[in-house]
Amino acid sequence: SHFHLDHCGALPYFSEMVGYDGPIYMTHPTKAICPILLEDYRKITVDKKGETNFFTSQMIKDCMKKVVAVHLHQTVQVDEELEIKAYYAGHVLGAAMFQIKVGCESVVYTGDYNMTPDRHLGAAWIDKCRPDLLISESTYATTIRDSKRCRERDFLKKVHETVERGGKVLIPVFALGRAQELCILLETFWERMNLKAPIYFSTGLTEKANHYYKLFITWTNQKIRKTFVQRNMFEFKHIKAFDRAFADNPGPMVVFATPGMLHAGQSLQIFRKWAGNEKNMVIMPGYCVQGTVGHKILSGQRKLEMEGRQILEVKMQVEYMSFSAHADAKGIMQLIRQAEPRNVLLVHGEAKKMEFLKQKIEQEFHVSCFMPANGETTTILTNPCIPVDISLGLLKRETAIGPLADAKKPKLMHGTLLMKDNSFRLVSPEQALKELGLAEHQLRFTCRVHIQDPRKEHETVLRVYNHLKGILKDYSVQHLPDGSITVESILIQATAHSEDQGTKVLLVSWTYQDEELGSYLTSLLKKGLPQSTP
Amino acid sequence: YRDLHTFELQAPTRLIEWARGSRVCVAGYGQSDGNEILQLIPPPTLLTKETQGLCPERDFKVECGGFSERPVYSLKYVPDTSLLVTSGPPDSSLQVWQMSAEDSDVIKSVSPIATENGTGQSWSKITTISARAPWVLHGSRLDRVQITEVESRKNVYTAASGGSEELSSLAFLDCNTLLLCCATGRLCLADVRQPQSLVEAVSAPSAPCSEHWCMGTRHGAQGLEPSSQPVARLSSKGLLTLTDLRKTSEFLALAKARVPSPGSGAEFLCVSWAPALEGCLAISGFDGTVHVYDTQSWDSSGREAEPIFVHKGHAFGGAGGSGDPPLVTVHTWHLQKPRTLLSAASDGSLHVWDWVQPCGKC
């Protein structure tokens, strides 16, 4: 879903060592940035920590060759049945939420996302795709975050205090993301406070960053896009390119340098020069992998062993400021409201069950909410819709019958469902018979009703006719010349009983379609004829 | 400010209650059903005495929560139990809740405490104590004051009637003495051991137009006679009176706070004493600010008093410019850090702030 190591760190292992050989999809920025982080990660783990069972640089290259990059909102057909679509997730450059669809069943996996925009990224967004299941991160669901303003204010305060007392501030950054944001922040602050201390960023950082921003400008937010059009991303009034020699200059300064975890390169070089002075400060803006200097000093270590068994004593102030954003409870509710899933599954790291959040989601959205533990299997029942094509003729005919179609109420229609070769069609019965080469059968019921009447047949018929005409006022009752009676399409004929002249046998005959009227007539006639009939 | 942290709750709260283990409780009071009660763990920065640097843990965490079908106007933990009691419209009954065991984070609703619901009754004001047993003192009006034993639901005390005025708050001065404050400003004392003993301590201040009053009592430091702590009363027009309950014939002090007029009603009037600063109190409920005063320089002249600090954060916080400016609904003092307060407003904001005394003794 994005280039953070906790999401892509095992990809080369998976494809090159475990043997996964299926397709690999990610967004364009992720594809561009992943390999850099993976290579850094590999270098630290193998060269610094001495891991042996780890993927190699070549494996990273081979893995990335297999990657297919996707655009936002582009439906990608993985095979005849499986489709995927990426949605903007905020969080970091290129982060996406993925919808995975087979037929009309779908799952949305969010990865890490953020519902509030920040200085360089927009907020996550998804349409009302109504997936059967939404899998969301919920580690930060229980946090109520302090405002960005307060964090930034504290960051600026720390930098300002250090610079005011003549100290130097080192901010190790990864080329993308927060570096840009922090630069904008400092530039504005320096301008407002009319500060003179120099701010630098290392050139490696600016080249790479500019390059990526140019490539992926559509992934950033509106404000960044506007300023980028006007000027170079790293063209600031108060921030200049760094030269190695500047690190030895006396007096206060602020330097942004790569790499972000202090594990090699320029940021580590500068750190070694400045660590011994307690007037200086290093501000770590994010997570550091175990084994890096960044990780060690954040854990509280103040004596570090460098190459050649040299011990470095860290007297400078070590601060940690995380600006990375995840969705809180409010954000999760917002996403659920946008996507309208039928079920929700929360992924979390808490041992304690988050019953409260589960109930909150279930009550508000009337959906089931699951929170399985690692290794646990959850079964979710879906109600798949099966799409059926209806013939135009049938549709026209059925909509013409009965009350007018109402967009809000379902209308009952009759037709024949033909299932052939994975296609479903609804057609009229006549059409179905024709297609199947079958003849239509007519179903006709006949019932004999015995009536006590000694008179002649045609007199009995007349009696029956008058009787029915009197009762069935809303129906068409006719006395035909051939001596039979019709009630709508039902036929009644009278014959004499073969053995008993006093009994007449009425033959009542009706088609399947007139079942109801037919049975009604039969029971009516069974009651007998009234005595006084003209 | 020495420090200022701003947070946004999903729904505004009109109560902030401290619980065991430095927990803080807030609850929704909106009109629709589905109000949440949230017990929060404050960030470590607020729990330590020294102000930390750029500490990574700066957020409140929801430790557990419950769902209330009615708006929650008042909430009190019942000491020595895992229960809490809430009250709110539409009637004067009390809802009782059980904090869950270790494996769940839901605060469950338990059967309510019913009260006589006469006509014209509003929601009950409540306070709790655990002396002889866990008790809740509650009442919406002066003639409906009772003490109920929370676990057994037995009524252990009913106050004699002293009138039918609406109550604005009540407090235990010690395990036997009750102090009741009416909305008219009248203060009454009662002794739990003597059911007929309701006594008017301070009469309602006479005023041409009806003002609404509320009170703030000091949680006395150990060993001090509770009734020696002055009781503060605040009116909806900004009048502040300090009374010594041992000598109620005259005010200890009388002052006027500078508040906007016309006022925004008496719904969220709040006055409280600082637990760790002698003579300091805070008021809120008039607008988007919280005022802190040093009462040690006050006399009985009723002059306008100058606050030693005004927290204006809520007035500037707002995301959008639309709608009414936010109104501070409640404030409370941190129990250990002397100059730290928490305040909440009608836009859902929750602020934690610590001010620097420019000069002087406070």
Side-chain angles (χ1 to χ4, degrees), chain B residues 19-20 39 76-85 96-99 128-130 133-135 149-152:
Chain B
R20 255 196 314 247
Q39 179 171 284
K76 292 279 184 268
Y77 285 88
V78 183
D80 296 346
T81 67
S82 59
L83 301 171
L84 55 90
V85 181
V96 183
W97 306 79
Q98 166 97 45
M99 306 286 289
T128 53
I129 196 172
S130 191
W135 286 351
E149 213 176 74
V150 185
E151 282 158 341
S152 65

Side-chain angles (χ1 to χ4, degrees), chain A residues 263-279:
Chain A
H263 54 280
Q266 196 164 64
S267 59
L268 183 61
Q269 259 179 29
I270 301 170
F271 173 75
R272 290 172 74 159
K273 282 199 177 169
W274 295 357
N277 188 338
E278 65 244 336
K279 274 205 257 182

Side-chain angles (χ1 to χ4, degrees), chain B:
Chain B
Y1 292 96
R2 169 182 271 118
D3 229 343
L4 168 63
H5 294 268
T6 64
F7 300 85
E8 204 185 300
L9 298 170
Q10 241 186 294
T13 182
R14 55 184 287 172
L15 58 95
I16 304 173
E17 287 294 325
W18 288 99
R20 255 196 314 247
S22 296
R23 305 310 198 238
V24 157
C25 194
V26 297
Y29 63 91
Q31 282 316 296
S32 58
D33 140 58
N35 290 295
E36 293 177 357
I37 297 174
L38 300 173
Q39 179 171 284
L40 310 174
I41 307 175
T45 41
L46 296 179
L47 299 178
T48 60
K49 283 228 103 185
E50 286 89 48
T51 316
Q52 294 270 42
L54 299 173
C55 182
E57 292 302 328
R58 304 165 57 101
D59 311 319
F60 272 95
K61 273 202 171 41
V62 175
E63 190 178 26
C64 50
F67 297 99
S68 171
E69 281 165 11
R70 45 172 88 194
V72 182
Y73 277 31
S74 180
L75 182 152
K76 292 279 184 268
Y77 285 88
V78 183
D80 296 346
T81 67
S82 59
L83 301 171
L84 55 90
V85 181
T86 63
S87 70
D91 59 32
S92 60
S93 62
L94 309 183
Q95 286 67 50
V96 183
W97 306 79
Q98 166 97 45
M99 306 286 289
S100 283
E102 278 308 305
D103 62 344
S104 166
D105 61 349
V106 175
I107 302 176
K108 291 194 186 63
S109 173
V110 178
S111 65
I113 294 175
T115 57
E116 268 177 57
N117 282 315
T119 51
Q121 285 245 53
S122 69
W123 54 287
S124 288
K125 316 304 180 277
I126 56 178
T127 189
T128 53
I129 196 172
S130 191
R132 295 189 205 32
W135 286 351
V136 56
L137 167 65
H138 58 99
S140 57
R141 287 179 2 192
L142 193 55
D143 56 351
R144 295 255 189 268
V145 174
Q146 291 184 342
I147 298 181
T148 304
E149 213 176 74
V150 185
E151 282 158 341
S152 65
R153 305 303 165 88
K154 233 174 43 183
N155 176 294
V156 297
Y157 170 83
T158 306
S161 174
S164 63
E165 297 118 275
E166 196 190 317
L167 282 177
S168 68
S169 59
L170 20 76
F172 279 100
L173 290 180
D174 61 32
C175 57
N176 295 314
T177 319
L178 313 176
L179 179 62
L180 312 170
C181 178
C182 301
T184 54
R186 201 168 152 211
L187 288 178
C188 296
L189 282 166
D191 188 318
V192 170
R193 298 163 294 194
Q194 295 163 359
Q196 293 307 311
S197 68
L198 192 83
V199 163
E200 177 177 288
V202 184
S203 58
S206 56
C209 33
S210 54
E211 294 174 67
H212 186 112
W213 292 82
C214 70
M215 77 169 171
T217 49
R218 184 116 182 229
H219 302 283
Q222 294 290 31
L224 281 175
E225 175 66 37
S227 52
S228 71
Q229 302 291 305
V231 175
R233 280 180 307 165
L234 171 69
S235 88
S236 47
K237 289 235 158 34
L239 262 179
L240 278 152
T241 75
L242 301 185
T243 312
D244 182 333
L245 290 173
R246 297 165 301 187
K247 212 168 139 203
T248 59
S249 50
E250 54 188 59
F251 291 137
L252 265 184
L254 181 68
K256 174 106 178 45
R258 197 181 308 145
V259 297
S261 122
S264 45
E267 184 79 37
F268 304 121
L269 273 192
C270 189
V271 59
S272 64
W273 288 101
L277 292 176
E278 194 63 42
C280 273
L281 56 71
I283 68 169
S284 68
F286 299 93
D287 52 22
T289 66
V290 182
H291 291 205
V292 180
Y293 292 93
D294 178 357
T295 65
Q296 290 175 334
S297 56
W298 287 5
D299 55 27
S300 336
S301 64
R303 248 189 325 214
E304 191 170 274
E306 192 65 38
I308 55 174
F309 187 78
V310 177
H311 171 59
K312 297 185 190 136
H314 293 283
F316 294 109
S322 62
D324 304 316
L327 189 57
V328 174
T329 55
V330 67
H331 72 263
T332 193
W333 292 81
H334 194 284
L335 299 175
Q336 287 92 36
K337 296 177 123 189
R339 269 175 218 84
T340 302
L341 286 100
L342 282 74
S343 56
S346 52
D347 61 355
S349 55
L350 176 67
H351 291 185
V352 185
W353 40 282
D354 190 330
W355 89 91
V356 175
Q357 176 67 8
C359 59
K361 30 191 159 71
C362 217

Side-chain angles (χ1 to χ4, degrees), chain A residues 14-35:
Chain A
F14 193 49
S15 70
E16 308 307 305
M17 296 171 84
V18 170
Y20 172 74
D21 61 354
I24 304 175
Y25 292 97
M26 56 181 76
T27 62
H28 287 271
T30 311
K31 182 175 179 183
I33 300 165
C34 236

Side-chain angles (χ1 to χ4, degrees), chain A residues 354-503:
Chain A
M354 297 205 284
E355 273 295 319
F356 179 60
L357 179 62
K358 177 174 135 88
Q359 269 186 34
K360 188 171 152 130
I361 291 171
E362 288 179 336
Q363 276 175 13
E364 170 107 15
F365 300 108
H366 308 290
V367 297
S368 300
C369 181
F370 304 89
M371 323 181 97
N374 282 348
E376 198 182 312
T377 304
T378 301
T379 306
I380 294 166
L381 294 172
T382 60
N383 218 355
C385 285
I386 302 170
V388 171
D389 291 323
I390 185 168
S391 87
L392 193 58
L394 179 66
L395 185 64
K396 280 189 182 157
R397 189 179 83 182
E398 290 288 315
T399 47
I401 303 171
L404 280 170
D406 182 342
K408 297 205 180 104
K409 293 202 187 107
K411 185 177 164 71
L412 191 64
M413 292 191 183
H414 290 100
T416 306
L417 180 67
L418 288 174
M419 296 189 276
K420 187 178 175 186
D421 300 331
N422 276 338
S423 80
F424 295 83
R425 279 182 305 129
L426 200 61
V427 299
S428 66
E430 299 80 43
Q431 165 129 7
L433 287 168
K434 197 162 111 193
E435 281 190 32
L436 296 169
L438 297 172
E440 189 177 350
H441 287 69
Q442 290 281 342
L443 210 60
R444 210 166 174 85
F445 297 99
T446 307
C447 189
R448 285 177 167 72
V449 179
H450 292 233
I451 292 190
Q452 292 301 321
D453 192 354
R455 283 168 275 201
K456 296 224 174 40
E457 279 124 53
H458 68 268
E459 284 168 355
T460 311
V461 169
L462 199 59
R463 271 183 78 197
V464 171
Y465 170 70
N466 288 324
H467 174 54
L468 290 180
K469 191 113 177 118
I471 293 177
L472 303 173
K473 296 204 169 66
D474 294 326
Y475 293 92
S476 146
V477 185
Q478 295 186 316
H479 189 182
L480 297 180
D482 68 0
S484 57
I485 301 168
T486 58
V487 177
E488 299 289 329
S489 60
I490 298 167
L491 187 65
I492 305 173
Q493 294 167 312
T495 55
H497 194 279
S498 50
E499 281 143 31
D500 174 10
Q501 280 299 316
T503 305

Side-chain angles (χ1 to χ4, degrees), chain A residues 180-227:
Chain A
Q180 179 62 16
E181 211 170 308
L182 295 176
C183 281
I184 298 173
L185 194 56
L186 278 187
E187 165 94 346
T188 327
F189 186 64
W190 247 241
E191 182 72 26
R192 191 155 46 91
M193 303 286 282
N194 200 17
L195 297 177
K196 302 295 176 209
I199 311 177
Y200 301 110
F201 40 55
S202 49
T203 42
L205 182 157
T206 62
E207 274 162 26
K208 264 207 204 103
N210 258 319
H211 171 66
Y212 287 119
Y213 271 105
K214 275 209 190 81
L215 277 181
F216 304 123
I217 195 65
T218 51
W219 283 83
T220 59
N221 70 19
Q222 201 61 18
K223 254 192 258 168
I224 295 272
R225 261 176 275 168
K226 267 189 5 209
T227 43

